[in-house]
Amino acid sequence: MTRQKQTFSDASLPRPSDSAVPDRFKERIGDLFDTWADVRSRNAGLSAYYDMKNLLKDLGISIPEGMLSVNCTVGWCKKAVDARAVRSVFDGYVFEGREDAALNALVKENRLRTLYNQACRSSLVHGVAAFTVMRGRAGQPAAMVRAYSANQFCCLWDKDAGRIGCGIVCADVDADGRARKYVAHFPEAVLTFERGESGQWSCSEEGNPMGRPLMEVLIFDPDLDRPLGHSLITPELQGIVDKAMRDVLRMEVGAEFFTYPQRYILGASDDLFSVPPEGCTEDEDGNFVDSEGNVVQPVASEVKKMRAYLGAMLAISRDENGDVPQVGQFSPGSADNFTRVFENDAQRFSGATNVPLAQLGVMSSTYTSSDALGAANDPLILAVEEMNRDNGDVMEEVARMIMAVAGGVPIGELSDEQKSVQACWKDPSMPTISARADGWTKLAAADQSIVGTRVWYEELGLSQAKIDRIEAEKRRMGAIDAMNSIAKSLREAGAR
């Protein structure tokens, strides 16, 4: 059992002892843990921005020290990641246009659609996420698929093979959140490291007949220099969010001064806003003295200041020279300036991520029509389509591993049909049912044969459950019509 929320640090991810690592794997295991340690702080920082737990970066110039504890969270990084992930919807597999019942059952048992959604979000945050495929234990699917974030695994890239050469995952932790089980994937073997109650590590080795690590990585924005991808949360976005957090805090400070404008009193006596120190009394001359008779100065009272500030009527006596103190108020600053600066932050973030302002929670009046509003999503949709093409290759390789592990055969011995598996995706533009119906009605005018097929209903936006109900109703109605036709024929034959 793993904890609901685990911290990932050098202390929580201890290395297995050298004595527990087989000699031929020591170098690669050492490289994996060294690489893991190198990227750990970076991944933790990216997670903080996504989880909205990044700290305010104060410039130390204009923000009062007492205001630094104000909650000024800005969740734009999470919105940018979720805006892409929600449009990338994995919809199962097909073989040359046909579905396979056995693979569909494994997809459903592993909840692969949900796992993909989680892995997709993690790859957007850290640049990479991982799937592993292993034989299921008793009560589990024949092939068990698991997903891991970059906090939970590390891998080394094999440039010649064009995929990872090996990888290791944290498979379980103890009650204190420290790793007690690792699973390392190599082309020739799978190693399982377990830490016992005494703290000693043990290792079990299992041969891998697949000829490749049973791990596949989901990568966002890879290139030739960084094949394991980049995070969507770039330094540019982090800088914009840092500035937006300071602007939110400045808005809070400005709102305080706007609600309670600063006032001033010229020529007021000191005792107007002060009280005698504790334990002091007033002598016959009007001075405050302590228990030993020493004259002490009055102490400023915040309570008296606030009562004077909020009082409906403020009565001030003349001073000792007979002059009346002058009371005035400083003009409060306008909140419009803060609002415009914050909107500018949102516009910069929107331009950097292709996420429309409205999806960042900042309303804008720049859209003049529904068409313009829809066009604002076009860059985001194009980016998701590109991401789906890259992720499709990964999900197809995951499917081949699932079929190989479930069938107990190497991937190379799968049939040509199994190797041709294709990943399906829902339309990232997410059109309404009416828009779908309009488009597919026009297609049906050119080809009537597609009307009533499963593809027709899927593209109209109906769920698989509703399509199954429709197909069942059609079969039932077809059977009734056939029985009525037979009965009619029998009646006509009896009449003759």
Side-chain angles (χ1 to χ4, degrees):
M1 299 294 289
T2 59
R3 307 177 81 184
Q4 183 175 3
K5 183 64 176 180
Q6 180 186 359
T7 58
F8 297 93
S9 62
D10 293 338
S12 64
L13 294 170
R15 300 191 183 199
S17 57
D18 288 341
S19 60
V21 183
D23 291 338
R24 67 182 188 280
F25 295 106
K26 282 186 177 180
E27 182 178 358
R28 285 178 287 179
I29 288 292
D31 289 343
L32 283 168
F33 274 95
D34 288 342
T35 303
W36 206 349
D38 290 341
V39 300
R40 196 166 293 150
S41 61
R42 166 189 173 271
N43 290 335
L46 293 170
S47 296
Y49 275 89
Y50 179 74
D51 294 332
M52 296 176 284
K53 295 182 178 179
N54 53 301
L55 300 178
L56 174 71
K57 293 180 173 58
D58 178 31
L59 301 181
I61 299 175
S62 61
I63 299 176
E65 184 177 353
M67 296 293 293
L68 293 178
S69 60
V70 174
N71 186 346
C72 55
T73 303
V74 175
W76 291 344
C77 288
K78 178 176 177 61
K79 289 181 181 295
V81 169
D82 292 350
R84 294 203 184 202
V86 76
R87 290 180 179 273
S88 181
V89 182
F90 172 64
D91 201 29
Y93 296 106
V94 295
F95 299 87
E96 298 179 353
R98 296 181 293 102
E99 295 184 348
D100 181 79
L103 181 57
N104 283 349
L106 288 171
V107 168
K108 185 174 182 180
E109 290 173 355
N110 281 285
R111 297 183 296 172
L112 192 55
R113 292 178 175 84
T114 300
L115 283 182
Y116 169 78
N117 180 265
Q118 296 171 351
C120 179
R121 292 172 192 267
S122 182
S123 69
L124 290 167
V125 174
H126 302 116
V128 63
F131 291 103
T132 63
V133 184
M134 299 284 287
R135 286 199 307 270
R137 299 190 297 270
Q140 293 181 338
M144 191 70 187
V145 184
R146 296 178 176 87
Y148 299 89
S149 75
N151 289 318
Q152 301 169 324
F153 88 99
C154 185
C155 64
L156 301 178
W157 186 258
D158 186 341
K159 189 173 181 62
D160 291 335
R163 61 170 178 256
I164 61 171
C166 58
I168 189 168
V169 303
C170 176
D172 196 11
V173 297
D174 59 21
D176 297 323
R178 298 178 70 243
R180 64 182 177 190
K181 181 179 180 181
Y182 296 110
V183 178
H185 294 268
F186 298 94
E188 67 274 23
V190 177
L191 305 183
T192 301
F193 299 96
E194 293 187 88
R195 179 169 56 86
E197 296 295 333
S198 62
Q200 295 295 321
W201 288 91
S202 63
C203 175
S204 61
E205 180 179 342
E206 182 179 358
N208 178 14
M210 299 299 167
R212 59 148 299 164
L214 292 176
M215 174 188 286
E216 188 66 23
V217 286
L218 198 66
I219 304 171
F220 174 72
D221 191 26
D223 59 34
L224 296 177
D225 295 324
R226 295 192 63 174
L228 290 176
H230 303 77
S231 171
L232 175 65
I233 306 174
T234 62
E236 177 188 12
L237 299 188
Q238 295 176 34
I240 295 173
V241 169
D242 291 341
K243 181 180 181 300
M245 291 177 65
R246 291 193 295 269
D247 290 337
V248 170
L249 188 54
R250 294 184 184 109
M251 291 171 67
E252 292 286 351
V253 175
E256 291 294 318
F257 285 118
F258 186 83
T259 304
Y260 297 103
Q262 290 180 304
R263 296 176 178 175
Y264 61 87
I265 300 179
L266 301 178
S269 61
D270 293 338
D271 60 354
L272 181 61
F273 303 113
S274 60
V275 294
E278 186 176 357
C280 296
T281 59
E282 186 175 357
D283 61 13
E284 58 185 13
D285 296 327
N287 298 319
F288 296 121
V289 295
D290 58 17
S291 58
E292 297 179 356
N294 299 319
V295 177
V296 296
Q297 296 298 320
V299 179
S301 171
E302 296 297 327
V303 175
K304 293 188 70 174
K305 288 182 181 180
M306 183 57 67
R307 286 177 178 173
Y309 186 95
L310 298 178
M313 180 179 297
L314 179 62
I316 303 177
S317 60
R318 295 178 182 270
D319 60 13
E320 58 186 10
N321 297 323
D323 298 327
V324 178
Q326 299 179 15
V327 179
Q329 175 177 301
F330 294 105
S331 299
S334 173
D336 293 340
N337 294 330
F338 298 111
T339 304
R340 284 195 295 268
V341 170
F342 185 73
E343 288 179 350
N344 178 260
D345 296 336
Q347 290 167 357
R348 290 177 56 203
F349 193 95
S350 175
T353 58
N354 296 325
V355 178
L357 283 175
Q359 296 183 35
L360 296 177
V362 179
M363 303 308 296
S364 174
S365 59
T366 58
Y367 304 119
T368 57
S369 66
S370 59
D371 291 338
L373 182 60
N377 284 309
D378 289 345
L380 177 62
I381 293 170
L382 292 174
V384 174
E385 288 177 344
E386 179 183 8
M387 184 176 71
N388 286 349
R389 286 192 295 269
D390 295 338
N391 292 352
D393 295 336
V394 175
M395 298 307 295
E396 289 164 8
E397 188 64 18
V398 170
R400 285 186 278 269
M401 286 195 291
I402 291 174
M403 291 184 289
V405 171
V409 298
I411 294 178
E413 295 183 12
L414 293 174
S415 66
D416 292 338
E417 182 181 17
Q418 289 176 316
K419 292 179 181 178
S420 68
V421 62
Q422 292 179 304
C424 297
W425 306 92
K426 290 192 175 181
D427 189 348
S429 65
M430 305 180 74
T432 62
I433 291 182
S434 60
R436 289 173 180 268
D438 181 64
W440 278 84
T441 299
K442 293 176 180 177
L443 289 175
D447 185 0
Q448 289 287 337
S449 62
I450 64 175
V451 178
T453 62
R454 291 191 71 91
V455 174
W456 165 265
Y457 291 123
E458 288 173 0
E459 294 302 326
L460 288 180
L462 300 183
S463 64
Q464 293 295 331
K466 287 185 178 180
I467 296 174
D468 290 340
R469 289 176 58 192
I470 290 174
E471 293 293 337
E473 288 291 329
K474 289 165 65 175
R475 288 193 296 269
R476 185 175 65 84
M477 295 302 297
I480 293 175
D481 291 341
M483 293 297 295
N484 289 337
S485 178
I486 293 173
K488 180 179 179 182
S489 299
L490 292 174
R491 287 196 301 270
E492 291 176 350
R496 290 195 299 267

